[in-house]
Amino acid sequence: MWGGRNSRSYSYGPPPLGQGVVGILAVTGFFFLVQIVAPGLANSFVLNPRTVFAELKLYQLVTYLFLHDGFFHLFINLFVLFMFGRELEIRWGTGKFLLYYFFCGIGSGVLTGMFSQYPVVGASGAIYGLLLAYGVLFPNRYILIWFVLPVKAKYLVVIFAVMEFFATMRNTGDGISHISHLGGMVFGAVLLAIWHFGKTAHHKKRSAILHDLTGGPMSPANIDRILDKVMRDGVESLTPDEKEILIRAGKFYDKRNHPENR
């Protein structure tokens, strides 16, 4: 269905599988065998909107991700996981990748349980979350639809999001849980936004500290200049800004030397 290449050339050297992707593939394959051997047992792990919250069967929000409605459904989801999950896990690391995958999948299950009335199986919500992340992190990568038609990842994400939104609004009755697909993208967008703004805030704080240490108002050289002025001319000679800098410096060094006082 899908293959990938960058904006300049086709890639014939796919990245290796990470432990997270391998683990999901293995567990999903195991659950599929359970569906074949003991379908009655597997049915208890389906996401059932009528029982997941009413009867507090919250484990269904996780287990439904490993069940699939037939081999083709299983193959499509695992193939997309194989195609996109490898690079995302390399980019993020296994822990962060698994957090994102299950956040999208469980979030998709929550929305499905709230707004749907039919039992649902499949990792499609988490998979759509991965597709969103891939489009955000690698927007100009080309994805070959049916291995023929090249489309940039960022455009494909928009196309899929719009399609799932309208399919959800129309309630097409095609047997596909479009709310699950859309829910995975929504929760994926939320987590990506949290990570982005958290990283931005951390970067700004680090930049401010570096600025202070290398030449800003709180730099050691400036503090020494102000202290020399106090020793030479007295505290009364300081400007309001210089007094504020000394107060801030005193608090900073007090916290660093006496962390128990924080």
Side-chain angles (χ1 to χ4, degrees), residues 232-244:
R232 185 178 62 252
D233 303 321
V235 176
E236 297 78 9
S237 64
L238 298 181
T239 65
D241 288 341
E242 289 172 335
K243 291 179 181 179
E244 178 63 24

Side-chain angles (χ1 to χ4, degrees), residues 11 46 52 55 60 65 74 91 125 131 145-146 200 202 231:
S11 175
V46 171
V52 63
E55 300 180 14
Q60 295 178 357
L65 293 169
L74 172 74
R91 180 72 171 264
L131 178 61
I145 303 178
W146 300 295
T200 300
H202 176 73
M231 296 295 293

Side-chain angles (χ1 to χ4, degrees), residues 65-253:
L65 293 169
F66 300 106
L67 302 175
H68 288 82
D69 185 21
F71 179 77
F72 183 73
H73 187 205
L74 172 74
F75 174 77
I76 290 297
N77 278 345
L78 295 190
F79 180 71
V80 178
L81 170 65
F82 173 80
M83 288 298 298
F84 300 137
R86 295 172 300 168
E87 289 199 71
L88 292 174
E89 185 173 359
I90 290 173
R91 180 72 171 264
W92 286 335
T94 299
K96 191 173 182 179
F97 169 76
L98 290 176
L99 171 62
Y100 181 84
Y101 182 87
F102 285 105
F103 186 83
C104 293
I106 294 172
S108 170
V110 170
L111 289 184
T112 302
M114 293 172 60
F115 298 107
S116 178
Q117 54 182 327
Y118 303 106
V120 175
V121 294
S124 298
I127 295 300
Y128 270 73
L130 294 183
L131 178 61
L132 171 71
Y134 194 88
V136 171
L137 295 178
F138 310 103
N140 295 316
R141 291 281 183 87
Y142 281 94
I143 298 174
L144 301 180
I145 303 178
W146 300 295
F147 297 102
V148 176
L149 181 63
V151 179
K152 284 189 176 182
K154 58 185 177 183
Y155 300 135
L156 190 65
V157 166
V158 173
I159 292 171
F160 271 70
V162 171
M163 288 174 56
E164 294 304 324
F165 175 78
F166 283 107
T168 300
M169 294 299 100
R170 288 199 308 268
N171 191 17
T172 57
D174 56 4
I176 299 175
S177 181
H178 296 285
I179 184 65
S180 299
H181 299 171
L182 188 62
M185 299 186 86
V186 168
F187 273 80
V190 169
L191 188 54
L192 289 176
I194 292 173
W195 286 345
H196 172 74
F197 289 115
K199 184 177 180 180
T200 300
H202 176 73
H203 178 73
K204 288 182 177 179
K205 182 178 180 181
R206 184 175 63 178
S207 297
I209 293 174
L210 289 174
H211 174 68
D212 284 343
L213 293 177
T214 58
M218 289 279 290
S219 66
N222 195 42
I223 299 298
D224 288 343
R225 180 190 63 79
I226 296 173
L227 291 176
D228 287 342
K229 186 176 180 180
V230 171
M231 296 295 293
R232 185 178 62 252
D233 303 321
V235 176
E236 297 78 9
S237 64
L238 298 181
T239 65
D241 288 341
E242 289 172 335
K243 291 179 181 179
E244 178 63 24
I245 290 171
L246 279 186
I247 292 174
R248 289 175 55 198
K251 291 180 178 179
F252 172 78
Y253 287 107

